[in-house]
Amino acid sequence: ITIKGNPTKWGKKATITATISDTLSGVKSKQYSLDNKTWQDYTSAIVLTKNGTVYFKATDNAGNVKTANVKVTKVDATAPAIAIKGNPTKWGKSAKITATFSDALSGVKSKQYSLDGKTWKSYSSGVSVTKNGTVYFKATDNAGNVKTTSVKVTKIDTSSPTIKVTGNPTKWTKSATLTATFSDTGSGIAKKEYSLDGEKWSSYTKALTVKANGTYYFRATDKAGNVRTSSVEVTRVGNGDNTNDTWKNAKLISASSVSGWVGAGDLADYYKFSVKKNASLKFTPDATALSAIKNGDLKISCLTSSGKNVSLVWDSAETYLASSKLAAGSYILGVTDPNKDKVGFNYKIAIAK
């Protein structure tokens, strides 16, 4: 019995053939077995799809019996295995997908990955992805068996949220309501914040009411950690009353003192008052107004009913302006912001009669 076909290299199958001959009485029967127990007539090549031993038996016409066998060890019809890890279950900006390739028989010959299922690249140590999609892996063993598997990544978000702010006034008003709308089409909004200075942040839970001009900041953070900051500059908020903005409609001072404000939205205040006997006038600005007066950004003037200028002088500490020699008569006091500053100035007027 001469046996051929036992592979020396890995393959998906093996074709075993036996040449059986007898030079004297001749061959009476040819048989084979895959377990050395159950025998079948041998008529053609034996095709194996798994490793094992093939037994052959020949009997000649004289009753002589010959057995032979071959142990096949290079058959692998099983595809490799691929285990995938790293597909995130929580939102993030990126992911690293790793694959473990194994083959218990012939061993893994090549490892590959693809981002489109068409173009394949050699796999070495993980695939970094920065957008959602499907990552494909392919393993080929030394017998030529191929295994392909994939994983669908759905938890990556690299886009920042969007912020839309409404309510910034285009006309002068005493206050404004800024409403921020936060949106994120990917992972969703995780945190909403606002700031009055761009440094200290507070949670945004409702529309922001502002009573002063300035820059207001809004910040959104999505569940993947992407951050968007937006700002709006408010320039049309003022605390003035806009009722005594000219000499002609000066407001009558009936009390001994009055408080006022000028600045953005209310650039001038005028007051009229009368004294029946000698009196004194005291104009006390806040710190911002005090600096503005000295810099020429805020102008204080006092006139008699005939248009004569009344001199106002600083006190020794330069904290207020005053006139201590007001004769009986009528006067008009003007507080104006000639430079149209975006800030506001508070002041107090006191008349001692």
Side-chain angles (χ1 to χ4, degrees), residues 228-241:
R228 168 83 68 181
T229 302
S230 182
S231 64
V232 58
E233 184 178 7
V234 177
T235 60
R236 290 292 186 269
V237 170
N239 293 325
D241 56 16

Side-chain angles (χ1 to χ4, degrees), residues 91 132 156-157 159-162 182-189 222:
W91 286 99
N132 291 320
I156 292 178
D157 180 6
S159 299
S160 298
T162 59
F182 303 80
S183 60
D184 188 270
T185 57
S187 56
I189 299 295
D222 66 20

Side-chain angles (χ1 to χ4, degrees), residues 82 84 97-99 101 110-124 126-129 131-139 147-153:
I82 306 174
I84 300 174
I97 309 300
T98 60
F101 302 79
S110 67
K111 309 172 185 179
Q112 295 173 293
Y113 77 93
S114 173
L115 298 179
D116 60 6
K118 298 177 182 179
T119 303
W120 294 90
K121 296 181 179 181
S122 178
Y123 174 90
S124 57
V127 181
S128 295
V129 292
K131 63 180 180 179
N132 291 320
T134 302
V135 183
Y136 302 84
F137 295 92
K138 181 164 66 176
K147 174 71 172 182
T148 302
T149 189
S150 64
V151 59
K152 188 175 182 179
V153 179

Side-chain angles (χ1 to χ4, degrees), residues 5-7 11-16 46-50 72 74-75:
N6 189 10
K12 296 180 182 180
K13 63 182 180 179
T15 301
I16 307 300
I46 310 301
V47 178
L48 296 182
T49 56
K50 63 179 180 179
V72 178
K74 291 293 185 179
V75 171

Side-chain angles (χ1 to χ4, degrees), residues 254-271:
S254 57
S256 59
S257 65
V258 64
S259 296
W261 182 97
V262 292
D266 186 11
L267 300 177
D269 285 342
Y270 292 95
Y271 299 92

Side-chain angles (χ1 to χ4, degrees), residues 1-318:
I1 303 174
T2 302
I3 301 173
K4 294 181 179 180
N6 189 10
T8 57
K9 295 182 179 180
W10 284 99
K12 296 180 182 180
K13 63 182 180 179
T15 301
I16 307 300
T17 61
T19 301
I20 302 173
S21 62
D22 188 274
T23 59
L24 294 176
S25 60
V27 177
K28 181 180 181 180
S29 66
K30 307 174 185 179
Q31 294 175 297
Y32 77 94
S33 175
L34 298 179
D35 59 5
N36 203 24
K37 295 178 182 179
T38 303
W39 293 89
Q40 300 180 62
D41 288 340
Y42 174 80
T43 58
S44 60
I46 310 301
V47 178
L48 296 182
T49 56
K50 63 179 180 179
N51 292 317
T53 302
V54 183
Y55 301 86
F56 293 92
K57 182 166 65 173
T59 304
D60 65 16
N61 288 295
N64 300 300
V65 177
K66 175 69 175 182
T67 59
N69 65 75
V70 60
K71 187 175 183 180
V72 178
T73 59
K74 291 293 185 179
V75 171
D76 180 4
T78 303
I82 306 174
I84 300 174
K85 293 183 179 180
N87 190 10
T89 57
K90 295 182 179 180
W91 286 99
K93 297 180 182 180
S94 63
K96 186 175 184 178
I97 309 300
T98 60
T100 301
F101 302 79
S102 61
D103 189 274
L105 293 175
S106 60
V108 177
K109 182 179 181 180
S110 67
K111 309 172 185 179
Q112 295 173 293
Y113 77 93
S114 173
L115 298 179
D116 60 6
K118 298 177 182 179
T119 303
W120 294 90
K121 296 181 179 181
S122 178
Y123 174 90
S124 57
S125 61
V127 181
S128 295
V129 292
T130 56
K131 63 180 180 179
N132 291 320
T134 302
V135 183
Y136 302 84
F137 295 92
K138 181 164 66 176
T140 304
D141 65 18
N142 287 295
N145 300 294
V146 178
K147 174 71 172 182
T148 302
T149 189
S150 64
V151 59
K152 188 175 182 179
V153 179
T154 61
K155 292 291 185 179
I156 292 178
D157 180 6
T158 57
S159 299
S160 298
T162 59
I163 305 173
K164 181 180 180 181
V165 182
T166 59
N168 191 7
T170 57
K171 296 182 179 181
W172 288 103
T173 181
K174 289 187 177 181
S175 65
T177 301
L178 301 179
T179 302
T181 302
F182 303 80
S183 60
D184 188 270
T185 57
S187 56
I189 299 295
K191 187 187 295 184
K192 307 174 185 179
E193 297 172 290
Y194 76 92
S195 174
L196 303 181
D197 58 8
E199 296 180 2
K200 183 179 180 181
W201 294 89
S202 302
S203 177
Y204 177 91
T205 57
K206 61 180 181 180
L208 189 63
T209 300
V210 298
K211 296 183 178 181
N213 290 317
T215 302
Y216 296 88
Y217 302 85
F218 298 89
R219 184 168 68 184
T221 304
D222 66 20
K223 294 176 182 178
N226 300 295
V227 178
R228 168 83 68 181
T229 302
S230 182
S231 64
V232 58
E233 184 178 7
V234 177
T235 60
R236 290 292 186 269
V237 170
N239 293 325
D241 56 16
N242 301 106
T243 60
N244 57 329
D245 294 345
T246 65
W247 292 100
K248 186 176 181 180
N249 64 351
K251 180 185 293 186
L252 178 64
I253 299 177
S254 57
S256 59
S257 65
V258 64
S259 296
W261 182 97
V262 292
D266 186 11
L267 300 177
D269 285 342
Y270 292 95
Y271 299 92
K272 58 183 177 182
F273 60 93
S274 299
V275 294
K276 295 182 179 180
K277 58 181 179 179
N278 291 344
S280 64
L281 169 68
K282 182 178 179 182
F283 180 89
T284 305
D286 67 4
T288 303
L290 178 65
S291 176
I293 294 171
K294 293 181 178 181
N295 292 334
D297 293 331
L298 191 63
K299 184 178 180 181
I300 313 302
S301 56
C302 184
L303 302 177
T304 65
S305 58
S306 61
K308 184 178 179 180
N309 184 61
V310 176
S311 178
L312 298 175
V313 296
W314 289 105
D315 67 300
S316 59
E318 293 192 348

